[in-house]
Amino acid sequence: MKRYRRILFICSLLCLLPQFIHAQLQDERHNLAVGINGGVNLNSVSFSPSIKQTSFIAPEFGLTVRYISEKYFKMICGIQGEINFSQRGWKEVIEDGSDNTYHRAMNYVEVPLLAHLAFGKDQGNGARFIINLGPQIGFLISEKEFYSDLSTWNTSNRPQGTDAQYGKFADKKFDYGIVGGGGVEIRTGIGHFLLEARYYFGLSDFYNNSKKDYFSRSAHSYIGGRLTYLFDLKK
């Protein structure tokens, strides 16, 4: 299973190769833009044994750099890199009659490196459709648990008896996976405004997952919405 995850991650890296090959450019571009981004993510964690959850809503924001290198037929091609702060984690649905509540907030620095494709008007103001896809790495910088009243905390009736996550912080700080999404870019005289939806699929586990460990799977995933503002440094 681990080998297949690594293969999937490597395949996402290969998506970037065309952006670094300049020998067969049809219509070369040299557009460099930088800016800021921000939004919210609907987070969850894929656990095995499973834990019933609802979406944990948390912020994400950071810096974006984009380089447009070519136009191939009607497709505008480039590469986009980001450095983001992202809060991840999970929020449990506890249905054992205890009225307990629990969620975990996990703060990451993320670095996605994305193939950027756009379709639509190339020059001047206007709108175009965008697609971003590629690998992402992350590093856990902090995490915190949020319990309901500890005086009434009771895990004796939890479904499947799953309670190993309480008080257990991440064994692994490094995270990697694949992120992709699409949206609309509005080009104006004061810059570019991008409205985008993204999905992140984690390929790594933050708990140890050997045969002697409780969880065999503990990987992040999220659906996010974001707004990015870019301004040109080089057209």
Side-chain angles (χ1 to χ4, degrees):
M1 184 67 178
K2 289 182 181 179
R3 188 175 74 176
Y4 293 131
R5 295 184 202 172
R6 292 192 184 100
I7 291 173
L8 193 56
F9 186 72
I10 291 171
C11 288
S12 71
L13 280 171
L14 294 178
C15 293
L16 299 170
L17 283 180
Q19 313 308 321
F20 296 102
I21 299 174
H22 299 286
Q24 297 180 355
L25 293 177
Q26 175 162 337
D27 189 0
E28 193 170 351
R29 297 286 190 276
H30 296 286
N31 174 231
L32 178 63
V34 300
I36 57 175
N37 70 74
V40 294
N41 294 330
L42 279 66
N43 299 278
S44 62
V45 173
S46 176
F47 283 110
S48 182
S50 63
I51 297 174
K52 191 171 183 180
Q53 304 168 47
T54 187
S55 294
F56 173 51
I57 302 173
E60 181 178 41
F61 54 88
L63 304 174
T64 300
V65 178
R66 185 182 70 183
Y67 179 70
I68 302 296
S69 60
E70 66 177 307
K71 184 179 182 182
Y72 189 77
F73 292 105
K74 294 185 179 181
M75 183 171 64
I76 301 162
C77 304
I79 189 168
Q80 181 167 306
E82 301 171 5
I83 299 177
N84 299 322
F85 168 85
S86 176
Q87 187 172 87
R88 307 185 197 168
W90 74 95
K91 184 177 182 180
E92 298 188 12
V93 175
I94 301 173
E95 298 175 327
D96 61 359
S98 65
D99 293 326
N100 290 166
T101 61
Y102 177 88
H103 74 272
R104 175 83 62 92
M106 305 177 73
N107 299 318
Y108 280 82
V109 173
E110 296 178 344
V111 182
L113 187 60
L114 309 170
H116 174 81
L117 305 175
F119 306 86
K121 191 174 182 180
D122 184 22
Q123 301 293 336
N125 298 341
R128 62 192 186 194
F129 178 71
I130 59 170
I131 297 174
N132 292 314
L133 176 66
Q136 175 176 284
I137 61 173
F139 189 81
L140 178 65
I141 54 176
S142 66
E143 58 182 313
K144 186 176 181 180
E145 295 179 297
F146 295 86
Y147 295 84
S148 54
D149 188 353
L150 289 177
S151 66
T152 61
W153 186 255
N154 179 11
T155 63
S156 60
N157 295 321
R158 295 297 160 85
Q160 305 179 69
T162 302
D163 62 0
Q165 68 275 24
Y166 304 130
K168 178 177 174 58
F169 293 106
D171 298 310
K172 304 172 184 178
K173 295 185 180 297
F174 181 72
D175 175 83
Y176 64 91
I178 298 172
V179 64
V184 177
E185 175 180 353
I186 307 297
R187 299 161 59 86
T188 73
I190 60 171
H192 312 273
F193 297 87
L194 294 77
L195 184 62
E196 183 184 0
R198 283 189 184 176
Y199 176 70
Y200 175 73
F201 180 73
L203 298 174
S204 61
D205 300 318
F206 55 82
Y207 287 144
N208 291 330
N209 54 9
S210 67
K211 291 183 178 180
K212 67 179 181 179
D213 294 302
Y214 186 83
F215 291 106
S216 61
R217 176 78 169 146
S218 55
H220 293 284
S221 66
Y222 59 74
I223 297 173
R226 59 170 48 206
L227 178 65
T228 302
Y229 169 72
L230 299 175
F231 61 91
D232 292 319
L233 292 182
K234 184 177 182 181
K235 293 187 178 181

